[in-house]
Amino acid sequence: MSSSKRMLKTLTYEEKAAVIREVENGFKTKSLIVKEFGIPPNTLSTYLKNKKTILNKLATSNVKGRKRAREPENPDVDECVYKWFKQTRDKKISLSGLLIRAKAEEFALKLGKINFKASNGWLDGFKERNGICFKTVSGESGDVNVQEADDWKIKLLQIIKSKNPKDIFNADETGLFYRCTLDKTLAFKGKSSNPRCFKNVKSKPVKYQANKKAWMTGEIFKNWLLTIDKIFCKQNRKVMLYIDNCTAHNYIPTMGNLEVLFFPPNVTSVVQPMDQGIIKNFKHYYRTLLVLNLLQDGGKIDILQANRMSKNAWEQITSETIANCFRKAGFLSGNSENVGDEEIQQTITINVWDDVRQNVNINFDDYINMDDDLEVCGHLSDLDIIQLTLRCTQSSDEEEEQECIEPPIPTSIQARMHINELR
């Protein structure tokens, strides 16, 4: 028998995603899928194992029509710069190419790479690998590239088209001054891990955790992911969760039924459903409850009451509003104009609001939005970024995808010999 081996074609990222969708659809057997795409079974297994990486690359990087992403010569430098870039852009700070190159050389020096030079060629490769549009990097603070957002929405519909909409989620953090008075005097108590108001309370209205800075942390977020993954495992549901790139989301644990994907940098504000009106709806209803409490009880709010009002406010948001916000963000097809914010039902009458605010010159909409810019998580130092990058590199168990070679098919005589050996 000839010992020659036949090299199979390598699929593009779009084709790999199509293979994954075919498997998830469940209409075809895996043997039929590998035959249609011209790949061996072990390659299909590799695609499924690296599903998260493939879909994230397709969604957030410029790999259209490519079979492999162009890998950097110094991936640890690349990763450090990218983490720093995302964090800096989250603060709405404009970045120039010269500044990015200087930061890359700074990280390289700290990583012991004394011969690294961040040339213009390196910068072009960095932007291409990470799907960064220079217009959004150097533009005015807070700018969003409309074309980049539209391109993302097109990719998104391809990625999720085989998923049931009920299995696609978005999560985000928001700051809330839970007992903010109208003169903007803020009370910051309530950071105790076990407040007195929880004494003898067997079941809390919402999950409650605390830290000194009242921030979301990587550890809290990781534990929350593991908790909801267990829920979906019991329900036998395969779920997609889209999140942004804040520092609390830097470590995603290995999970069974929950797949976490990231929005691309720079466009989160227009592609994240929570930002299209869901959070504003929640705050509107919460502030309404708080105003009514000011009238009835003089505004004496503790953490337990804030928990209850938060749950009450969330339950007032309609499923139609949530669906419309997902549509506006590009997760659903159809008319996406004028949905989300304007769907808030006015629950405070002018007379009631005037009674509460008295001589304070503030309208209700400003009162709702007064904590929109509140920081919800900390920022990583350069040392934190380096340590996180090195830890992820060392602990990563994802295998590099290689060209797949189909093993030769044995003859009938060889097959009989193998059978006899097994016997």
Side-chain angles (χ1 to χ4, degrees):
M1 184 190 70
S2 172
S3 61
S4 63
K5 298 181 179 179
R6 180 165 61 89
M7 187 73 70
L8 299 183
K9 67 177 181 180
T10 301
L11 304 185
T12 64
Y13 273 88
E14 291 94 332
E15 290 171 327
K16 294 171 186 176
V19 171
I20 293 170
R21 287 197 299 269
E22 289 284 8
V23 174
E24 291 183 338
N25 284 337
F27 298 125
K28 299 177 182 178
T29 63
K30 289 184 178 180
S31 58
L32 181 58
I33 293 172
V34 298
K35 184 177 180 180
E36 288 183 353
F37 283 89
I39 57 175
N42 62 324
T43 299
L44 175 60
S45 299
T46 301
Y47 290 167
L48 295 177
K49 180 179 179 180
N50 296 330
K51 171 187 170 183
K52 178 181 174 182
T53 302
I54 292 170
L55 295 183
N56 267 328
K57 279 286 186 184
L58 184 60
T60 61
S61 304
N62 185 19
V63 294
K64 186 176 181 180
R66 291 189 177 182
K67 298 179 179 180
R68 289 189 181 83
R70 187 178 300 170
E71 297 298 329
E73 292 184 14
N74 298 280
D76 47 358
V77 175
D78 230 55
E79 185 63 24
C80 285
V81 176
Y82 186 58
K83 282 184 170 65
W84 166 82
F85 171 84
K86 291 189 297 183
Q87 179 171 269
T88 306
R89 287 299 293 165
D90 283 343
K91 299 177 186 177
K92 295 182 171 60
I93 298 174
S94 298
L95 295 174
S96 67
L98 186 63
L99 183 57
I100 295 173
R101 289 167 56 194
K103 196 65 183 181
E105 293 185 357
E106 183 182 334
F107 274 122
L109 192 60
K110 291 177 179 178
L111 287 165
K113 300 177 183 291
I114 57 176
N115 296 321
F116 175 87
K117 295 295 181 184
S119 63
N120 284 326
W122 174 87
L123 179 62
D124 291 340
F126 173 77
K127 292 187 296 182
E128 186 177 356
R129 285 188 293 273
N130 295 292
I132 297 170
C133 176
F134 194 80
K135 188 179 296 183
T136 51
V137 175
S138 58
E140 292 184 1
S141 176
D143 282 353
V144 171
N145 187 305
V146 176
Q147 185 59 52
E148 189 176 353
D150 290 342
D151 291 343
W152 151 257
K153 291 178 181 179
I154 293 172
K155 292 178 182 178
L156 175 67
L157 289 176
Q158 290 298 312
I159 292 172
I160 67 174
K161 71 178 184 180
S162 63
K163 296 289 291 185
N164 189 321
K166 72 176 183 178
D167 292 329
I168 300 173
F169 289 79
N170 171 221
D172 192 24
E173 295 84 7
T174 186
L176 181 69
F177 293 139
Y178 73 94
R179 55 177 179 183
C180 180
T181 57
L182 298 182
D183 60 359
K184 298 187 180 180
T185 301
L186 309 178
F188 283 99
K189 293 181 179 180
K191 297 174 185 177
S192 168
S193 60
N194 190 23
R196 292 181 181 177
C197 56
F198 284 163
K199 187 177 181 180
N200 299 323
V201 176
K202 295 182 179 179
S203 179
K204 300 182 181 69
V206 297
K207 186 175 177 61
Y208 174 85
Q209 286 190 271
N211 56 60
K212 292 182 179 180
K213 293 187 176 181
W215 278 346
M216 172 61 74
T217 67
E219 186 68 18
I220 291 175
F221 189 72
K222 180 192 75 172
N223 291 335
W224 177 74
L225 288 176
L226 292 171
T227 298
I228 60 175
D229 180 54
K230 289 181 181 178
I231 295 173
F232 291 129
C233 286
K234 290 180 180 179
Q235 297 174 352
N236 196 27
R237 293 172 62 187
K238 294 286 186 178
V239 168
M240 280 182 170
L241 174 66
Y242 279 87
I243 58 175
D244 61 23
N245 293 284
C246 87
T247 54
H249 302 164
N250 273 313
Y251 178 67
I252 306 300
T254 301
M255 294 174 287
N257 284 40
L258 181 62
E259 177 187 1
V260 175
L261 298 104
F262 289 93
F263 294 110
N266 308 312
V267 297
T268 303
S269 61
V270 295
V271 300
Q272 178 160 238
M274 296 296 289
D275 290 332
Q276 308 314 306
I278 296 174
I279 289 176
K280 187 171 183 179
N281 270 261
F282 165 74
K283 289 191 175 183
H284 173 94
Y285 293 124
Y286 183 89
R287 296 277 191 244
T288 299
L289 294 169
L290 183 57
V291 166
L292 295 176
N293 182 274
L294 288 171
L295 288 173
Q296 297 170 4
D297 302 321
K300 297 179 180 179
I301 302 293
D302 58 26
I303 286 289
L304 180 58
Q305 288 172 297
N307 275 224
R308 288 170 176 158
M309 290 195 301
S310 295
K311 182 180 180 181
N312 188 332
W314 179 257
E315 290 174 345
Q316 290 187 58
I317 304 173
T318 66
S319 57
E320 289 78 13
T321 293
I322 293 175
N324 282 336
C325 291
F326 269 80
R327 183 175 291 108
K328 188 175 182 179
F331 282 78
L332 296 170
S333 58
N335 182 20
S336 62
E337 298 297 325
N338 301 320
V339 297
D341 289 355
E342 80 291 347
E343 295 184 352
I344 300 173
Q345 299 296 318
Q346 190 65 33
T347 52
I348 288 290
T349 66
I350 295 177
N351 291 337
V352 169
W353 178 242
D354 286 341
D355 288 342
V356 174
R357 70 174 183 170
Q358 297 179 353
N359 298 323
V360 180
N361 186 22
I362 181 175
N363 62 50
F364 190 58
D365 201 51
D366 289 338
Y367 183 51
I368 292 172
N369 300 325
M370 67 189 317
D371 45 23
D372 280 358
D373 294 326
L374 189 65
E375 289 194 26
V376 294
C377 62
H379 296 285
L380 301 176
S381 66
D382 287 357
L383 180 59
D384 291 334
I385 290 174
I386 290 171
Q387 291 177 339
L388 179 63
T389 298
L390 293 177
R391 185 168 70 244
C392 291
T393 301
Q394 293 168 359
S395 64
S396 175
D397 59 356
E398 290 185 354
E399 299 177 355
E400 292 290 332
E401 188 179 346
Q402 301 175 349
E403 286 285 354
C404 296
I405 301 176
E406 184 180 29
I409 299 174
T411 64
S412 57
I413 295 175
Q414 289 174 322
R416 290 194 192 97
M417 290 174 60
H418 289 310
I419 291 172
N420 288 333
E421 287 174 2
L422 287 172
R423 285 174 176 168

